[in-house]
Amino acid sequence: FLTGAPWDFAGTPQHHYPLEKHHTYAELYRRQVVKQADVVAAHWLAGEEVPLEQQRRDLAHYEGITVRDSSLSSPAHAVVAARVGWSALAHDHLREAALLDLHDLEGDVVDGLHVAALAGVWAGLVMGFGGLRTARPGDALPDDRLPDDRLHLAPRLPPGLTGLRFGVRHRGVRVRVEVEPEKVRYRLVDEAPDGALVLVHHGEPVTLTVDEPAVVRGVPPLADVGPEPSPPPGRELRRPAP
């Protein structure tokens, strides 16, 4: 793929999108152009196995050649962009996904809703800005004796958002998460079967109990992650007002 010629984005008129309706697959597959997130989606699903810097480099590369001719694309870019620290880019991707049908951005709402994009909005908010993930069975606690089945969160809001609230059920126990720009509040809704539920906040264990059902933690500062990448020329992210 990387040996193919670059796609001429500047010379592609707007009415040629989606590309597959105006160009043959033989033409498209010989060029460095991507319909939707693939490698980026793989990082979303298995990101803990790939260093953040590698995810950041890959996202920067694919952001510039992905034309988002599928509504599946923006949610994946939003989650990974939020994870690697490009929160404004994540917000723009999420806004496009959230308003895709409300503003009929593709002119095809008459044919039905983009259900995958709607589900992707939840993923972008909770798994992106909320930093939610569950450890896989192979992950281990620091003592290397037990599998890590704790709920991991790394909340961080993008500029322009003042708050995010969501609920999650983990091991049969409901937890409310309330995110503000500088702090996060975790609140136990149900009583944990063994009296306590341990979460992980930005790598730090947090214990919620019946006696202390709510805990507040600060959002750690974000290191310099460099300038955010841009979509291809002519396929800029659409930012309609809600």
Side-chain angles (χ1 to χ4, degrees):
F1 175 77
L2 296 176
T3 63
W7 183 264
D8 182 14
F9 292 108
T12 303
Q14 283 295 317
H15 68 271
H16 273 210
Y17 293 99
L19 293 178
E20 62 187 11
K21 292 185 177 181
H22 302 276
H23 300 269
T24 66
Y25 284 118
E27 182 183 3
L28 292 170
Y29 289 167
R30 289 187 173 95
R31 299 289 189 274
Q32 292 189 47
V33 60
V34 180
K35 173 184 177 180
Q36 66 188 46
D38 289 319
V39 171
V40 175
H43 284 328
W44 172 11
L45 298 175
E48 298 307 314
E49 299 179 4
V50 182
L52 279 181
E53 185 53 40
Q54 181 67 52
Q55 295 185 53
R56 192 175 292 116
R57 288 197 299 269
D58 288 347
L59 179 60
H61 174 78
Y62 283 99
E63 183 72 27
I65 60 175
T66 302
V67 294
R68 308 186 317 284
D69 280 347
S70 167
S71 62
L72 301 172
S73 195
S74 275
H77 279 250
V79 172
V80 177
R83 178 188 296 162
V84 302
W86 286 331
S87 59
L89 177 65
H91 192 193
D92 286 341
H93 272 291
L94 186 63
R95 184 160 49 182
E96 179 172 283
L99 301 178
L100 183 65
D101 292 325
L102 289 174
H103 285 258
D104 198 9
L105 298 181
E106 297 292 344
D108 57 2
V109 168
V110 66
D111 298 322
L113 300 178
H114 295 83
V115 177
L118 296 177
V121 172
W122 182 92
L125 289 169
V126 176
M127 303 182 76
F129 298 144
L132 173 72
R133 75 170 181 87
T134 54
R136 294 178 302 280
D139 293 343
L141 292 168
D143 58 15
D144 292 326
R145 288 182 295 136
L146 299 172
D148 184 359
D149 60 355
R150 299 171 298 178
L151 198 64
H152 291 245
L153 299 106
R156 179 172 282 112
L157 296 179
L161 283 189
T162 59
L164 170 65
R165 296 189 179 105
F166 60 90
V168 60
R169 185 188 298 273
H170 182 60
R171 300 177 62 190
V173 180
R174 288 177 298 163
V175 177
R176 293 293 298 175
V177 182
E178 301 175 358
V179 187
E180 297 180 21
E182 297 182 355
K183 64 182 180 181
V184 184
R185 183 174 184 261
Y186 300 104
R187 180 169 59 86
L188 197 61
V189 178
D190 301 321
E191 183 176 346
D194 53 2
L197 182 69
V198 180
L199 310 175
V200 180
H201 166 81
H202 285 280
E204 172 195 356
V206 174
T207 302
L208 303 177
T209 66
V210 174
D211 295 331
E212 190 178 7
V215 174
V216 176
R217 291 290 184 269
V219 176
L222 182 65
D224 182 15
V225 293
E228 298 186 348
S230 300
R235 289 303 278 173
E236 289 79 10
L237 284 156
R238 293 158 290 187
R239 304 178 178 90

